[in-house]
Amino acid sequence: MNYLSDKHKQLSESQQSGLMTWFGQLPMDKKAVAIGLSLTVGISSAAMAWKGESSDRIYFCVRTPQSYLICQDKNNRPFRMTPYYWEQWKQEGMPRQVVRDPAMGVNGLVKATNPYKPFWAFGGFLGFALAGWMLRHCQEEEKQRAVFEDIAQKRDAAKAEMAARSELLESYRDVAIAEVQLQADLDLIANDRTVDITKAEIYAHTEIEVTQMEATDAIFEAQTAGMTEQQKADYIKQLREMKTPYLQGSQTLQGTIDPNDKVTGSEPGAIAPTEKYRWINNTIGYPTLIFGGMGAGKSWTTREIIWKKVQAGWNIVALDPHGTQVEWRGVRLITGYKEIALFMQWYMDEMRQRYEDYRKSGLTEEQWTEWLRNSGKMLSVICEEFTTWTDNIVEPMPDDCEDEKWKPDPDFIGKWFRCAMTESRKQLMIPLFVAHDRTMEILAKAKGLSKLRDAALLEVELIATIDPITTEAKASGKGAIKLPGHGQWIDIELPKLDHKRIDFRLDESRTVNEPPTIDKATLERIYELEFNLGNKAGDTQDEPNKLSPMAQKLYEYLTRTERIEADVREFKGNFKVQGERFSVELIKSWMYEIVGAGLANWIGEGIIKLNQD
């Protein structure tokens, strides 16, 4: 037996008798014999203990006054007792009417027929106990053996299953090899037939050309019949230099055959640049995924697609966690993971509202889409750095929920991703995702949705190359595109760009990479943040400014909530007007107005202290 510890072994051996140790070493047949002998002894001893009497008895009677002997009680049980108690009764004064029963034994004394009855009973008990003990020991061993038997059966079943699987895989391998060989034979036969057909075509074409050459020679011989060799040479020279009356200018017959004569200012057969990049048009109306490794050109290509969307009339919202307004001029930029989460919540609410309005509108799908387009509600959401969203974005807490009871949905990003993929196109709220790969583990950790991705997303892969000198990744200008629901990847060429587009405005002339101008108000704000912390805005302004309506609402909110020090990062999520929340930069602009009006002072970046009257 395997013991768990020395203590376990000590306790087990202390409870084990030498007899059972000896018994446990016997084979099963001898154990059965020992148990049978013990049972035989027990049964025999019990039988011996059952019969006869174990002690002597004196039967007696009571003499009545009429000299009758009464030797039994009312239940016909004879009067009797052991000699010991008979003597005790005589010493205590036995009545004279009590006499021994002359009908029983010798003068009423009946000797014991089984004086060893207690020993036989003990022997029976000992035999049965020993048999039970040995049976219990056998049962314990059988219980332990059953465990090993069960393991052995499971092992044999597992071996049989593995052998069956191995045989099945071997059969499948043979079938697969046979299929490959058959396909190879078919391909070889088809290739041979193709070669034969090609040879026949070449032979036929060659025969036709030979026939044409022979006919031409015959015609030439007929035309030059009777000419001398010198006259033939002059005739041939005249034909080569002669111009056809159907050509113009200096164009010759040879020139009409040369394709270079038909193309001017470009390579022969060159494709116009607009034809190369026609694939970009497909990304405007489809949910799109742009992916590729570092340096593949994702940002530059994405911005060219955005520019096409702007030209097509789409409203652009750029969700860039680390973006700046300098690089996103002309579009609405939402930066910061918390702000992006708020927009994502608004996006899903807006999507549900549009579908509800569509159901109530009574319009067909085409009419509803046209109405959205005419109403200027075409919205394209650009999801930059989408790979990092699942690690940094959590579901925003609703306004009507208590902090301690709020538990964000761990699948918030996945739900939004599925909504944007599948429901956005009919409501003209098209997303464009920018990521490093197309696996569902990277895309919102939405495992198990690869088929949905293939069916719903237009995918563009950008391919990077390694610079042999710097060994750094750079854009190769090549890529591949796959339309939704199609498994074929088509090679594409990326636009040749010499700068990164950062300005998407249509209504004014500008230089694309020109830095933004800084007005006086912005300079004053920078001064307040960088150099004049803690001082009143009145020190740099001649008179307080009048608050705008939104700045006034912000000031009323701060005073209503009894805030003395207001940190934009702390109260931003709770401040809203008619259910609409605002970005940090927009709230900061209203905070500048409040400070400029002398109602508060800056005490830190994004933190003001309200003046107390």
Side-chain angles (χ1 to χ4, degrees):
M1 179 178 180
N2 295 326
Y3 297 100
L4 300 177
S5 62
D6 294 339
K7 185 65 175 178
H8 181 203
K9 181 178 180 181
Q10 179 183 354
L11 291 174
S12 297
E13 291 179 350
S14 66
Q15 297 295 325
Q16 186 71 34
S17 67
L19 176 61
M20 285 297 106
T21 302
W22 170 80
F23 179 76
Q25 296 174 353
L26 295 176
M28 188 60 194
D29 53 351
K30 292 185 178 181
K31 289 180 180 179
V33 172
I35 294 173
L37 289 175
S38 180
L39 287 174
T40 301
V41 171
I43 294 172
S44 300
S45 299
M48 292 299 295
W50 182 263
K51 66 179 183 177
E53 301 291 340
S54 61
S55 61
D56 297 341
R57 297 174 305 285
I58 296 177
Y59 288 84
F60 62 91
C61 301
V62 178
R63 191 184 298 275
T64 62
Q66 290 82 13
S67 297
Y68 294 111
L69 293 177
I70 299 175
C71 300
Q72 295 175 346
D73 59 9
K74 295 180 179 181
N75 295 321
N76 293 325
R77 290 177 298 184
F79 297 132
R80 63 182 179 177
M81 63 178 59
T82 63
Y84 173 79
Y85 288 107
W86 180 265
E87 293 297 328
Q88 287 289 333
W89 194 10
K90 287 177 65 176
Q91 293 176 7
E92 292 175 0
M94 178 185 299
R96 289 181 300 172
Q97 290 84 358
V98 176
V99 294
R100 293 191 179 193
D101 187 358
M104 300 297 293
V106 180
N107 195 20
L109 177 62
V110 178
K111 290 290 185 178
T113 58
N114 191 5
Y116 302 105
K117 190 172 186 176
F119 298 101
W120 290 115
F122 178 74
F125 166 75
L126 189 61
F128 286 121
L130 185 59
W133 194 5
M134 288 188 289
L135 285 172
R136 177 64 177 172
H137 189 274
C138 291
Q139 182 183 14
E140 185 68 22
E141 289 186 343
E142 179 62 23
K143 183 178 180 181
Q144 295 177 4
R145 189 185 67 83
V147 174
F148 291 103
E149 288 290 338
D150 184 57
I151 294 175
Q153 290 178 2
K154 291 181 179 179
R155 179 201 60 192
D156 295 340
K159 286 183 178 180
E161 184 178 357
M162 291 178 64
R165 288 188 178 182
S166 177
E167 184 178 354
L168 181 62
L169 289 175
E170 188 69 22
S171 301
Y172 177 77
R173 185 181 70 86
D174 295 339
V175 172
I177 292 175
E179 289 181 352
V180 172
Q181 291 176 346
L182 178 60
Q183 185 64 39
D185 294 340
L186 293 175
D187 292 341
L188 184 59
I189 294 172
N191 183 64
D192 293 341
R193 294 295 179 268
T194 303
V195 172
D196 293 340
I197 294 173
T198 304
K199 287 181 180 179
E201 291 177 349
I202 293 174
Y203 292 153
H205 184 66
T206 303
E207 185 176 356
I208 292 173
E209 289 185 349
V210 170
T211 305
Q212 289 177 345
M213 290 174 63
E214 292 176 350
T216 303
D217 291 341
I219 294 173
F220 180 76
E221 292 294 334
Q223 290 175 344
T224 58
M227 292 184 181
T228 64
E229 294 297 328
Q230 182 62 37
Q231 289 174 338
K232 288 182 180 181
D234 293 339
Y235 179 67
I236 292 173
K237 182 178 180 181
Q238 180 183 3
L239 288 176
R240 289 177 176 173
E241 293 178 352
M242 184 178 63
K243 295 180 172 57
T244 173
Y246 300 105
L247 303 178
Q248 299 178 357
S250 61
Q251 203 171 23
T252 64
L253 183 62
Q254 178 64 25
T256 62
I257 302 174
D258 186 2
N260 289 325
D261 189 56
K262 299 183 181 64
V263 182
T264 307
S266 64
E267 292 185 0
I271 302 175
T274 56
E275 299 294 328
K276 294 181 181 180
Y277 315 131
R278 182 179 294 177
W279 61 269
I280 296 181
N281 296 332
N282 294 329
T283 65
I284 296 177
Y286 282 103
T288 303
L289 167 64
I290 297 179
F291 67 95
M294 298 292 292
K298 295 189 296 296
S299 296
W300 287 33
T301 304
T302 299
R303 290 169 180 267
E304 286 304 306
I305 294 175
I306 295 173
W307 177 239
K308 293 293 184 181
K309 288 176 176 282
V310 171
Q311 291 177 323
W314 288 79
N315 299 312
I316 306 298
V317 178
L319 308 181
D320 190 349
H322 307 110
T324 62
Q325 193 63 52
V326 175
E327 291 200 343
W328 292 97
R329 280 176 278 175
V331 302
R332 179 185 175 187
L333 171 64
I334 298 180
T335 182
Y337 290 112
K338 187 176 181 181
E339 291 76 10
I340 291 176
L342 293 173
F343 176 83
M344 292 166 63
Q345 187 63 62
W346 174 87
Y347 180 93
M348 290 191 289
D349 294 340
E350 176 68 13
M351 185 78 71
R352 286 191 288 267
Q353 186 61 47
R354 288 194 182 189
Y355 271 104
E356 183 176 353
D357 294 342
Y358 166 59
R359 288 191 294 268
K360 297 178 180 178
S361 65
L363 302 177
T364 64
E365 184 176 324
E366 292 76 11
Q367 292 173 336
W368 174 257
T369 304
E370 187 65 24
W371 180 83
L372 290 175
R373 188 176 288 109
N374 295 335
S375 302
K377 292 190 175 184
M378 295 189 302
L379 177 65
S380 182
V381 181
I382 313 302
C383 306
E384 278 281 0
E385 301 183 23
F386 191 65
T387 308
T388 65
W389 286 24
T390 53
D391 297 325
N392 298 280
I393 291 180
V394 296
E395 182 183 12
M397 183 179 67
D399 298 334
D400 56 352
C401 183
E402 300 179 8
D403 294 350
E404 61 274 7
K405 295 183 179 179
W406 172 242
K407 293 182 179 179
D409 185 355
D411 192 34
F412 175 67
I413 300 292
K415 290 181 178 178
W416 184 85
F417 181 59
R418 291 189 287 272
C419 172
M421 270 201 306
T422 59
E423 301 179 5
S424 59
R425 193 179 179 203
K426 291 183 179 180
Q427 300 302 330
L428 300 184
M429 299 176 68
I430 308 296
L432 189 151
F433 305 99
V434 184
H436 289 89
D437 202 353
R438 67 188 295 268
T439 62
M440 301 312 298
E441 175 65 22
I442 287 180
L443 300 178
K445 287 186 172 58
K447 296 182 179 179
L449 297 181
S450 57
K451 292 185 178 180
L452 178 60
R453 172 204 60 199
D454 296 340
L457 282 181
L458 184 147
E459 300 180 62
V460 179
E461 180 182 11
L462 308 185
I463 302 173
T465 59
I466 304 299
D467 192 309
I469 299 176
T470 63
T471 67
E472 294 181 352
K474 65 177 183 178
S476 65
K478 303 294 183 181
I481 187 172
K482 184 180 76 65
L483 297 178
H486 293 75
Q488 181 182 5
W489 288 86
I490 304 173
D491 294 335
I492 59 173
E493 184 174 340
L494 306 182
K496 292 179 172 59
L497 306 173
D498 56 2
H499 61 268
K500 179 181 179 182
R501 186 178 296 276
I502 62 175
D503 199 327
F504 303 92
R505 292 174 291 181
L506 287 172
D507 55 350
E508 55 183 286
S509 60
R510 70 233 181 258
T511 301
V512 174
N513 286 321
E514 178 185 356
T517 58
I518 303 178
D519 55 10
K520 179 180 178 182
T522 304
L523 289 172
E524 290 176 353
R525 294 173 184 175
I526 294 175
Y527 175 78
E528 288 291 335
L529 286 173
E530 300 292 340
F531 308 106
N532 198 32
L533 293 176
N535 296 331
K536 294 184 178 180
D539 297 339
T540 59
Q541 299 179 357
D542 296 334
E543 59 182 2
N545 297 325
K546 183 179 179 181
L547 295 180
S548 65
M550 292 304 301
Q552 181 65 34
K553 291 183 181 295
L554 175 61
Y555 179 72
E556 293 174 356
Y557 167 77
L558 296 177
T559 55
R560 184 174 67 254
T561 55
E562 300 181 353
R563 298 178 186 269
I564 299 176
E565 296 181 359
D567 187 341
V568 64
R569 293 163 296 187
E570 184 269 332
F571 70 81
K572 172 190 171 298
N574 297 324
F575 174 65
K576 58 183 180 179
V577 177
Q578 295 180 351
E580 181 181 2
R581 293 185 174 89
F582 309 95
S583 65
V584 172
E585 297 301 326
L586 192 57
I587 296 177
K588 280 185 178 180
S589 66
W590 298 331
M591 294 170 70
Y592 283 122
E593 293 187 39
I594 295 174
V595 173
L599 301 175
N601 297 321
W602 290 106
I603 60 174
E605 183 176 354
I607 306 174
I608 61 175
K609 181 177 182 181
L610 299 179
N611 296 333
Q612 303 297 314
D613 296 335

